[in-house]
Each structure stands twice: as C-alpha cells, then as structure tokens.
Amino acid sequence: MKVSNLFFVKARLLTLLLLPAFAATTLAQSLKPEAVAFTKTYQTAYNKGDRPTLMTLFADSVGWVNPDGSVTPGSKADVEADFVRDFGETAGSYMDFTVVSTETQPDGKVKIGTTVSGYDFVRKTGAKLNPTAGTYEMLIGKVGGQWKISQVKWNMNTTRLEIRDLVKRFQDAYNREDAATLKTMFTADAVRTATDGTTTKGAALVDFYTQGFADADATNVISLASVSPQFDGSVIFTGTYHLTGRSVKGERIVREGAFSNTAVKENGQWKISRNTQSKLVKAMVYHKVADYAAWKKGFDLFYNERMLAGELSAEVSTLADDPNTVCIISEWASPDAPKAFFARPDLVETMQKDGVIGKPTMLIMNKK
C-alpha cells in the first residue's frame, strides 16, 4: 500500500476503486447510465487486476484533489505505477464502490461520487487483510469518443491518519514526561510486553512511565512503519523507537527497538490495548545495478511487498565513486523476517528484472 502529500493522494488509488454491487433501484434511476456503466467497467478491470484495460480509462493528464481542495497535477504513468503496486505478485487488492451521485458539468464532463470499501489479500492463501472504507470521486470526460478519468478526489484511509496522530501525541506526551496524558492513550486493561518478555498491565503502566521519567531524561523519536486495520475494528500498527538521553546518574542512554501495537476505539478515540516491543534487527544488502534510476523505480514499486514481509524502514545509498553500486539498510523486528524475505524466489526474479548484476551480499545485524 510514498510519504508525501502526493503519496496520500495517490497511494491508495492502488487500493481504491471498484465494486460489484450498485445502489438500490431508486438511486440508480437518478444516475447517469453512462457514468454507472463506466464505473462498472472500472470495477471489473480492477478486481481482475487487468492493468491494460484500466490504463485505457485514464486521460494522459490526471489531477489529484488534495484535502485542502488544491489540485496536484499527475500523469498516466503515475497511475500505472500505483496499479503495479496494487497488483503485486504475492499480495493484491479488492475494492467495491457504489455510485451515489452523477453530475454533468458545464464543459460536458461528468462528476461521479461513490462510497468505497475493500481489502488487501494474500494471493497464496486468499487471506484478507487491511479493510478500508471511504469515499471516492472521479471526473470523467470524453477523449476521442471514449470516457476517461481526468481528476480524482478521495477520502480513504482516515484510520492511518488517525493512528499517525495517536503516535505523534504519544511521542509529544512522552517527551514532556507527561504520564497522566499517556494514561489516557491506553485502555484500562492494556498490556505492555518488553523485549525481555516482562509485562506491565493496566494501572501499573502509569507507574512504569512515572518511574522511567524519574530515572532518566530522554527523548523518544517514534517512526510509524505500517497501519493494518483488522476486521474486528481494531488496528495493528508497527514501527520503531529511538531513545536518547542521560540517566539521573549521568550515564548516556541510547536505546532503539521495534514495536507492534494494537489499538481499539473507545468513545470515538483510538487507545492502545497491546504494546509489544522487540529488539531491532538491521539488514544490509549491497549489489551492482545496470542503471540506478531503473532499479530504484522497481524497488519503490515493491514497497507493499516489503511492508507485508515485515520491513519497518529502508534507506538507500550508493557508493560515492560508483552510483550503480547500491546499498540498502533496512530495519526489521526479527532476524527471521528479512531472511525469509530475501530468500523468496519472486524477489530474485524481480531483482534480475530491475537490473541487479551478480549475487547480492546480505548481512543481518543485531545491535549489541
């Protein structure tokens, strides 16, 4: 499933459209038939993973409407890159949308409003994950006698934005040493499991943080890696934390690790019910490529695959005197995850297709 405004505007185009059921008969009677038929064509092609057909439904230039109403210009190539990511070899997306409005514009274009729901799935097992819901609006106009999408506006993945806000508020409260505010971010029966397996439960969490603040003056930087809504309404979100500072005895503190949290909504607010921490594992892979730009495009398109495999972050560099020798340093929550990922046959094939030369060198490191 890009971490810029354009990412949030585009990235869920990957998992955004399509749907088998169209609203009730009374609603359908007020909708423009051509717009409904266009939507159905889009839906069918998307859920079949038919990228060639999908690309015929877009104009060469596509505008992406941002949350503030401004429009970011894009291209057909941007759209195709998102679909490549959606229709991965090991994971895919399925989306349903219902047309709720069609409105003819003065220039002859038609604005189609829809409600959207769907999920990602694992191709090998068929397991469903990451349910999503929202609204999606597209502007279509005729080009050479064919309807094509020239602008899109979506309101999807609000859960991810809400979890990002939860993480930011948690980080701010921690760095203020505000245990009282942290308490409001946990459920009453929340459980925290440390890297050594010890647990802290419920009301004892406040004492845990209060004592920690008394023992040290430290700054915590939390990075969010993935947000995975669950079908029971909860959310699992993962990431890393990097703690630096000094203890009351003057000793330097440098501590980092990975976390996997479960959050549930209580009275409209997300709260953490499970916090599990683990040691951070770093993997370093380096290899030569035929062309860096071509390789980087393929690397970026494999983003969803890497996240589903458990990658928490990745940093790409090249040698100062050889821009076609690439080094990737990635973070994981366990040594088994990167080992399994780098052993995948489809990864080998993808790397060869992207121009990797020779056999990559891989190192997996535990910080001591």
Side-chain angles (χ1 to χ4, degrees), residues 200-218:
T200 307
K201 302 179 180 180
L205 282 170
V206 178
D207 296 334
F208 170 82
Y209 285 110
T210 300
Q211 187 59 52
F213 296 148
D215 291 341
D217 181 12

Side-chain angles (χ1 to χ4, degrees), residues 285-288 351 356-362:
V285 177
Y286 61 93
H287 51 65
K288 290 187 70 68
M351 294 175 75
V356 173
I357 299 172
K359 184 178 180 180
T361 298
M362 180 182 71

Side-chain angles (χ1 to χ4, degrees), residues 168-181:
K168 183 181 184 301
R169 289 188 290 110
F170 187 99
Q171 176 180 279
D172 290 345
Y174 187 98
N175 291 334
R176 292 196 311 269
E177 299 190 348
D178 185 351
T181 296

Side-chain angles (χ1 to χ4, degrees), residues 185-192 200-203 205 272-275:
M185 298 183 189
F186 288 93
T187 61
D189 59 351
V191 178
R192 178 187 185 275
T200 307
K201 302 179 180 180
L205 282 170
I272 300 168
S273 60
R274 294 291 183 274
N275 166 231

Side-chain angles (χ1 to χ4, degrees), residues 90-92 119-129 231:
T90 60
Y119 51 84
D120 295 332
F121 62 90
V122 179
R123 294 192 185 281
K124 186 175 181 179
T125 64
K128 299 176 183 179
L129 63 160
F231 287 93

